[in-house]
Amino acid sequence: MTAPLDVSSEETKATPEAVVSGLGGAKAIQGRSLGQIAWMRLKQDKVALAGAGVVIFLVLVAIFAPVIVGWFGHPPNEFHQEMIDTMTMRPKGGSGISSEFLFGVEPQNGRDLFSRVVYGARISLLIAFFATMLSVLIGTVMGIVAGYFGGWVDAVISRLMDIFLAFPILVFALALVGVLGQFEMQLGVQGDTLRILLLIFVIGFFNWGYIARIIRGQTLSLREREFVDAARSLGARGPYILFREILPNLIAPILIYATLLVPANVLFEAALSFLGVGIQPPTATWGAMLSAATKYYTVPHFMIFPGMAIFITVLAFNLFGDGLRDALDPKSNR
C-alpha cells in the first residue's frame, strides 16, 4: 500500500484570476451585448453583407450624384442632338454607348442615360427613406399603445389598422397626387418640392398598418414580462414603461421591418412615376424613365438600365433585411 501524497493546502489553492484564465493562459471570459452577438451572426452571412455593401454604395451614389456625373457624364437634362439619327430619332449606332456616354443616350433628345440613372437614385432613395421613417414612427406609436393599454384603445387602433390595410392606396395616391399637384402655384411651392413631400406623405402615412400590427403583437407579449411587472411595482407609470422598458426591446423588429419596407417604397414610388403622377419631367426618376422607354421598345438599353437600377436596389435591401432578421432573431429561421 503506497503512502498518500503530501499536498500542502497552499498548493491546492487557486486564485480567482487563475481560475478565470483557465490556469493555462487562456483568454478571459468576456460578456457580449445583444448588439455584439447580432453583429457576429451578421458577419457570418456573406449574402447579407454583400447586400449591405450595395446599399451603402447606392446611398453614396445618391449623395455624390453631382460629383459622379461631373466626372463620368453630362448634365442630366442636357440635350445632345448630335447623337441622334434625324431620320429615325434613335441614337446613332443603336444605343450611343461610348466612353463619353457610359449608358448611351435617350432616343429623340440625346440626354445622357448614365447621368439620369444616377440622379434618379436621389429621388427614389429620398422618398423611400423618409416614407419609411414616417410609417415606422406612426406604426410604432400606434402599435405599442394598442398592445400595452388594451381594451377599447386596442379595439379602436386595431380597427384603424384594418381600415388602412384595406385601403386602396395606389388608387388613392393616383387621385391625391394628381389633384394636389395642380395647386403648386397656389400653395407657393415651386419645383419638385411639393411632389416629393406629397409622395412621402401618401406612401408613408398609408403604410403604417403593417408595422403597427407587428409592434402590437410584440408589445402584448412584452407587457407580461417580469421586468415590466417590476417597473409597475416600483411605481412606474404608463409612459415610462412604454418608452423606457418596452420600446428598447422592440428595436430589433423595428429595424428589420424598416429595412424590408424601404424596397417596397422604392417600387411604389417607381410605380407612381411610371403612371405619370410622381415627380414630373424633366427631373430624372427611374419609374418615369421606364414609362418613357415603353415607346421605344426597339432601343432596349433605354429600359434595361433604369430597370436594373430598381432591381438591384430592391434585391440589395431585401438581402440585407433577411440577414438582419436572422441576426437579430435567430429563432425566425428555424
Side-chain angles (χ1 to χ4, degrees), residues 1-25:
M1 182 175 180
T2 59
L5 296 174
D6 185 12
V7 180
S8 62
S9 59
E10 289 76 8
E11 294 176 350
T12 58
K13 291 181 179 180
T15 62
E17 293 79 4
V19 174
V20 173
S21 61
L23 295 175

Side-chain angles (χ1 to χ4, degrees), residues 218-232:
Q218 295 288 329
T219 305
L220 287 173
S221 175
L222 289 173
R223 73 177 185 178
E224 307 298 334
R225 301 286 292 273
E226 292 79 2
F227 64 89
V228 176
D229 293 335
R232 290 198 194 99

Side-chain angles (χ1 to χ4, degrees), residues 182-195:
Q182 300 176 3
F183 297 95
E184 294 181 1
M185 298 298 295
Q186 291 84 340
L187 295 175
V189 182
Q190 300 296 326
D192 299 321
T193 305
L194 177 62
R195 290 275 178 168

Side-chain angles (χ1 to χ4, degrees), residues 64 73 87 89 99 130 179 185 189 205 236 301 303 333:
F64 298 105
M87 297 296 294
M89 301 304 294
S99 59
F130 279 98
V179 171
M185 298 298 295
V189 182
F205 182 74
H301 79 286
M303 182 180 295
N333 57 2

Side-chain angles (χ1 to χ4, degrees), residues 196-263:
I196 292 175
L197 293 176
L198 200 55
L199 288 172
I200 290 173
F201 170 76
V202 171
I203 297 174
F205 182 74
F206 291 96
N207 271 332
W208 64 267
Y210 297 99
I211 188 169
R213 279 201 166 177
I214 296 174
I215 298 302
R216 174 184 174 273
Q218 295 288 329
T219 305
L220 287 173
S221 175
L222 289 173
R223 73 177 185 178
E224 307 298 334
R225 301 286 292 273
E226 292 79 2
F227 64 89
V228 176
D229 293 335
R232 290 198 194 99
S233 65
L234 294 174
R237 296 183 178 274
Y240 177 89
I241 297 176
L242 284 176
F243 298 103
R244 297 296 297 273
E245 299 291 341
I246 295 180
L247 185 59
N249 291 279
L250 296 173
I251 297 299
I254 291 174
L255 287 176
I256 293 170
Y257 185 80
T259 307
L260 297 175
L261 186 60
V262 171

